[in-house]
Amino acid sequence: MSDLESCMITIIQTFHQYSGQKCNLKKADLKELINNEMNNFIVKIKENDTLDKLFADLDQNGDLEIDFKEFIALIAMVTSACNELKAWQGKGKRS
Amino acid sequence: MSDLESCMITIIQTFHQYSGQKCNLKKADLKELINNEMNNFIVKIKENDTLDKLFADLDQNGDLEIDFKEFIALIAMVTSACNELKAWQGKGKRS
């Protein structure tokens, strides 16, 4: 499996690690995932209104849960921002 | 850096590996990337009309090149499909 393919698997596994059996992220799950797994790219969420705003932006179907499609949209946004900020240059390629 | 973050870096680096200095993928670049890096998830592209159709679908702004935003949309689609197909279960978590 290529690095790119195993990264896609890792993205899926990380989502399920925090969504558990229900396959959707509640607000607390999203906060925990971002603060644990994305704190080099996204400022740690402390204020509830920051979380509420982000959650509302991601929750495209308004069901008060983040499904995988809504989660991967966050990953795509943050990855695109990193690409534009050239944040990736100088980072060692995964072995 | 978390596994998730280093995966985002890997996705960016893979794109730049095939886009080179121009930061956009031409048709031949896209074919090479998919056939080399995604052949466990996408059937190898052999026919030109398969490539033309995929390229046209991805090339949202019609500039005959695939920029990073258009590329990450492909990654999001394929990752979502893998999630739905449960293709990720049983795959070792990256160390």
Side-chain angles (χ1 to χ4, degrees), chain B residues 18-91:
Chain B
Y18 288 85
S19 69
Q21 292 307 326
K22 58 186 187 314
C23 290
N24 279 310
L25 298 171
K26 299 281 190 200
K27 229 174 241 189
D29 304 324
L30 178 68
K31 180 179 179 181
E32 204 187 342
L33 188 157
I34 287 175
N35 286 355
N36 292 347
E37 309 289 345
M38 300 174 77
N39 58 50
N40 284 295
F41 294 164
I42 298 181
V43 175
K44 274 209 171 187
I45 299 174
K46 291 182 184 125
E47 311 295 332
N48 276 341
D49 50 7
T50 311
L51 178 59
D52 292 345
K53 172 95 179 59
L54 175 62
F55 194 90
D57 286 348
L58 293 177
D59 184 17
Q60 292 290 302
N61 61 9
D63 64 352
L64 300 181
E65 291 178 328
I66 304 299
D67 61 32
F68 188 79
K69 284 210 163 107
E70 292 164 337
F71 170 69
I72 196 85
L74 170 66
I75 298 298
M77 264 186 287
V78 173
T79 309
S80 292
C82 283
N83 179 58
E84 269 151 43
L85 291 169
K86 304 266 185 281
W88 54 280
Q89 283 174 332
K91 299 271 189 277

